[in-house]
Amino acid sequence: MEGFTSGKGTSESTPEEFKTGTTTVGIVADGGVVLATDRRASLGGRFVSNKNADKIIEIHPSAAITISGSVGAGQSFADQLQAQTSLYETRRGTEMSMEALSTTASNAIRGMRVVPLLGGVDESGGHLYSLDPAGGLMEDTYGATGSGMQMAYGVLEGKYEDGMSMDEAEEAALKAVKAASARDTASGNGALVARITSEGIEREELSAEEL
């Protein structure tokens, strides 16, 4: 997950040393979606600027995004999605479906220096989407972003199973974050995990020792 800068502004000319990495993971399970991230914000993978970074942002009561890329761009992206979903729900009196939300997200993200995962639940079940700054959108059953994504994918490939429970998905997601943190210097300082179901979003923070 490259390009997670420490300031609000972003630029194509941002020096590499002022960029950070991270690890974010998402898994679709039976009954919902699990998102997990590490807690470290670093500059160029060499200086830890924050040990308690919050990289999961709630979009509405049953959907959230992970943040990978520019901090400012990620916050702006989340603000736009929150505003769009609120407007949609006010006008129509119902929550936006994940299909509609993912389309809105792919349009809003164009040109932004952020690479998020979007996870949520609607009447059709759990959904997970990966997005890119060009507006690309792909739905999958599991995914990872960030500088630690290769290690995370290695764990996910071996642990993921269709129909796994929320507990099993959480265990796999945290193992993926732990594996990335062990080898990627830009990831670490524990984990943040969110369990998303039709009843809402439950978040939990874990220290490095608890992983």
Side-chain angles (χ1 to χ4, degrees), residues 105-134:
S106 68
N107 290 329
I109 200 173
R110 293 181 186 276
M112 290 189 172
R113 301 280 301 265
V114 60
V115 185
L117 293 173
L118 167 64
V121 177
D122 60 16
E123 292 181 352
S124 62
H127 300 272
L128 179 72
Y129 304 89
S130 59
L131 300 105
D132 64 56

Side-chain angles (χ1 to χ4, degrees), residues 3 28 51-52 66 75 79 82 96 102 120 125 145 157 160:
V28 177
K51 297 180 181 180
N52 297 290
T66 65
Q75 292 171 341
D79 288 344
Q82 290 167 346
M96 186 182 284
S102 65
T145 67
E157 292 283 354
Y160 178 79

Side-chain angles (χ1 to χ4, degrees), residues 76-110:
S76 177
F77 176 60
D79 288 344
Q80 287 191 41
L81 289 188
Q82 290 167 346
Q84 291 281 357
T85 55
S86 177
L87 180 61
Y88 179 97
E89 291 162 10
T90 298
R91 288 178 171 175
R92 305 200 179 194
T94 184
E95 286 189 0
M96 186 182 284
S97 70
M98 288 306 300
E99 181 179 4
L101 180 55
S102 65
T103 300
T104 299
S106 68
N107 290 329
I109 200 173
R110 293 181 186 276

Side-chain angles (χ1 to χ4, degrees), residues 4 19-21 40-50 185-187:
F4 196 109
K19 297 179 181 178
T20 69
R40 177 176 295 173
S42 63
L43 301 179
R46 293 184 292 275
F47 177 77
V48 178
S49 59
N50 191 300
T185 59
S187 301

Side-chain angles (χ1 to χ4, degrees), residues 28-30 160-166 168:
V28 177
D30 183 16
Y160 178 79
E161 295 180 0
D162 287 335
M164 63 196 312
S165 69
M166 291 289 286
E168 291 170 334

